[in-house]
């Protein structure tokens, strides 16, 4: 039985990946940071019923990372742990670098120390491209415009590509474009939209505020993307792959589709900071607030995942509309349940 270790297992991707690997009869271990909140919220059934084993570890702690690797001696490592919020990286650049760069080095080096034949997956990101030459493929130059992207680029180049070339290790990077799900953290704009729309539909909220409505992203479903992670480590030779849908949608598009899934229609009026979104009765439900703009923001990220399609046989299964509907409908049920107790 293969042993897999997932860092960042309590996150959106970690929970979907743990499910996938358990279904494939792996023995799965997940690294999680201690927290005053319940870190196993997304994983309760996997821990209680399916044998997922949690090891408490912070990637900023070298000795804890070393002990975890020595305990598991994994065949496959999926490094998903990160300070994952791009906006926060401007406020906390040192933490972002410690986890997203040095933390990767700790994971890679300690994994190789216990098993030189280990296969390693690194969660790289489309934010490494900035807005450089869309659509972006594996051959597009990196031009990050955030501390988050900078740390990810450096980790990708030093610990994945560098180690692969110099030490011959089996290390792959998935350059994943934005991917969402009902398990996405509530601090991200997509969940802010779906939760707010659900609450407005239920009469629990009047309106909400957003930043740049014209910011565009290639949004896919996290449950589809974890399959690509697994496929990368099953290949004969290690390589890096762009993973995305090849479609670009704006934040405004996301709001429109979320509203549509709730049986609502948004009409937009005004421009810039004065733009508002109104419902069918002319009531303002979306406003713009400058504080939600990033200091810098890639204008248009769109993937060219041809290589993944041809070499991995991977394609996204979930459309943009299906993804948004899945998210807002789940938040509607959660909000309704919470407020009818």
């Amino acid at each position: 039985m293969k042993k897999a270790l997932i860092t960042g297992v309590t996150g959106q991707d970690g929970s979907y990946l743990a499910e996938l690997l358990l279904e494939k009869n792996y023995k799965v271990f997940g690294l999680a940071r201690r927290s005053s909140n319940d870190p196993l919220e997304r994983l309760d059934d996997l821990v209680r019923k399916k044998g997922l084993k949690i090891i408490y570890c912070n990637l900023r702690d070298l000795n804890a990372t070393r002990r975890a690797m020595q305990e598991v001696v994994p065949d496959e490592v999926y490094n998903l742990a990160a300070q994952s919020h791009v906006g926060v990286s401007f406020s906390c650049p040192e933490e972002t670098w410690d986890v997203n760069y040095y933390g990767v080095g700790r994971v890679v080096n300690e994994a190789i120390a216990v098993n030189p034949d280990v296969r390693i997956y690194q969660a790289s990101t489309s934010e490494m491209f900035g807005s450089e030459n869309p659509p972006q493929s594996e051959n597009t130059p990196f031009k990050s415009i955030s501390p988050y992207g900078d740390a990810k680029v450096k980790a990708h180049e030093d610990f994945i590509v560098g180690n692969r070339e110099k030490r011959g290790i089996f290390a792959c990077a998935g350059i994943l474009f934005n991917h969402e799900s009902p398990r996405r953290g509530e601090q991200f704009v997509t969940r802010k939209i779906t939760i707010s729309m659900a609450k407005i539909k239920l009469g629990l909220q009047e309106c909400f505020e957003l930043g740049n409505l014209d910011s565009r992203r290639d949004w896919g479903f996290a449950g589809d993307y974890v399959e690509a992670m697994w496929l990368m480590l099953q290949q004969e030779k290690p390589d890096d792959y762009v993973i995305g849908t090849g479609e670009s949608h704006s934040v405004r598009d996301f709001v429109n589709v979320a509203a549509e899934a709730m049986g609502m229609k948004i009409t937009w009026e005004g421009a810039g900071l004065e733009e508002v979104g109104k419902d069918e009765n002319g009531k303002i439900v979306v406003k713009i607030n400058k504080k939600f703009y990033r200091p810098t923001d890639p204008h248009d990220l769109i993937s060219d995942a041809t290589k993944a399609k041809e070499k991995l046989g991977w394609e996204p299964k979930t459309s943009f509309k299906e993804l948004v509907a899945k998210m807002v409908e789940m938040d509607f049920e959660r909000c309704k349940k919470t407020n009818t107790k």
Side-chain angles (χ1 to χ4, degrees):
M1 179 181 289
K2 282 186 179 179
K3 291 184 289 185
L5 186 147
I6 304 170
T7 73
V9 72
T10 60
Q12 165 190 254
D13 291 6
S15 65
Y16 282 113
L17 180 60
E19 284 181 357
L20 177 70
L21 296 179
L22 287 166
E23 288 171 1
K24 293 182 179 297
N25 295 316
Y26 278 68
K27 189 171 184 180
V28 183
F29 300 80
L31 299 193
R33 287 181 297 125
R34 293 290 301 182
S35 170
S36 58
N37 297 322
D38 181 6
L40 305 183
E41 180 181 1
R42 300 180 178 98
L43 302 169
D44 191 45
D45 280 350
L46 297 183
V47 172
R48 289 189 299 106
K49 299 178 182 178
K50 297 189 177 180
L52 171 65
K53 183 172 181 181
I54 299 297
I55 300 172
Y56 287 100
C57 174
N58 189 324
L59 296 193
R60 302 177 81 176
D61 185 331
L62 172 60
N63 287 326
T65 305
R66 178 173 296 157
R67 287 192 295 270
M69 291 296 176
Q70 291 172 342
E71 177 180 344
V72 178
V73 190
D75 299 295
E76 296 176 2
V77 171
Y78 296 85
N79 185 41
L80 311 185
Q83 190 298 98
S84 61
H85 198 286
V86 179
V88 169
S89 75
F90 289 97
S91 302
C92 305
E94 290 84 3
E95 178 185 359
T96 300
W97 271 90
D98 197 12
V99 177
N100 296 8
Y101 175 70
Y102 294 107
V104 178
R106 295 175 190 119
V107 168
V108 171
N109 290 332
E110 297 308 319
I112 296 168
V114 298
N115 180 8
D117 295 322
V118 67
R119 295 189 169 207
I120 299 170
Y121 170 84
Q122 163 64 6
S124 290
T125 169
S126 60
E127 292 285 337
M128 300 192 305
F129 294 124
S131 295
E132 188 75 5
N133 303 321
Q136 292 95 1
S137 73
E138 296 81 4
N139 297 319
T140 303
F142 296 139
K143 198 173 182 180
S144 166
I145 55 175
S146 69
Y148 171 83
D150 291 344
K152 285 286 191 175
V153 168
K154 189 69 171 158
H156 175 86
E157 292 175 342
D158 289 358
F159 300 126
I160 303 304
V161 177
N163 270 325
R164 190 167 65 213
E165 293 176 350
K166 295 174 184 176
R167 303 170 68 180
I169 69 170
F170 196 109
C172 300
I175 305 174
L176 271 58
F177 281 62
N178 289 65
H179 46 290
E180 314 295 322
S181 76
R183 301 179 189 177
R184 184 62 142 159
E186 295 184 11
Q187 72 272 30
F188 290 89
V189 67
T190 52
R191 281 297 304 288
K192 180 178 183 178
I193 292 169
T194 59
I195 292 171
S196 297
M197 277 298 173
K199 288 183 174 180
I200 288 170
K201 181 67 176 179
L202 289 165
L204 301 171
Q205 185 171 318
E206 295 291 321
C207 67
F208 62 103
E209 296 179 331
L210 294 172
N212 184 6
L213 292 174
D214 295 316
S215 181
R216 303 183 68 87
R217 294 292 185 272
D218 181 336
W219 275 301
F221 174 49
D224 294 342
Y225 286 31
V226 297
E227 183 182 12
M229 300 176 188
W230 175 77
L231 285 168
M232 289 179 209
L233 296 196
Q234 312 316 308
Q235 304 307 301
E236 184 178 346
K237 295 181 180 179
D239 207 346
D240 307 322
Y241 297 87
V242 162
I243 302 297
T245 70
E247 296 181 5
S248 177
H249 298 276
S250 68
V251 173
R252 187 184 288 100
D253 294 336
F254 204 104
V255 174
N256 289 338
V257 174
E260 181 182 334
M262 289 287 96
M264 301 165 60
K265 180 176 174 58
I266 302 295
T267 301
W268 299 95
E269 297 179 3
L273 295 175
E274 303 304 317
E275 187 170 7
V276 295
K278 296 182 178 180
D279 66 12
E280 300 93 328
N281 300 315
K283 179 182 175 182
I284 295 175
V285 294
V286 186
K287 298 179 181 179
I288 307 303
N289 191 324
K290 191 175 182 178
K291 75 177 183 180
F292 294 122
Y293 278 68
R294 290 185 192 171
T296 58
D297 192 12
H299 177 67
D300 198 2
L301 289 169
I302 181 169
S303 67
D304 176 358
T306 302
K307 181 177 173 182
K309 181 178 180 180
E310 293 178 349
K311 293 195 173 184
L312 301 179
W314 179 88
E315 291 187 75
K317 301 181 179 74
T318 308
S319 72
F320 176 69
K321 284 192 173 183
E322 289 169 339
L323 167 64
V324 179
K326 188 192 299 274
M327 292 175 67
V328 73
E329 288 165 5
M330 182 67 75
D331 279 325
F332 180 82
E333 293 302 319
R334 286 170 174 152
C335 292
K336 185 166 68 171
K337 183 178 180 181
T338 300
N339 287 277
T340 54
K341 287 183 178 178

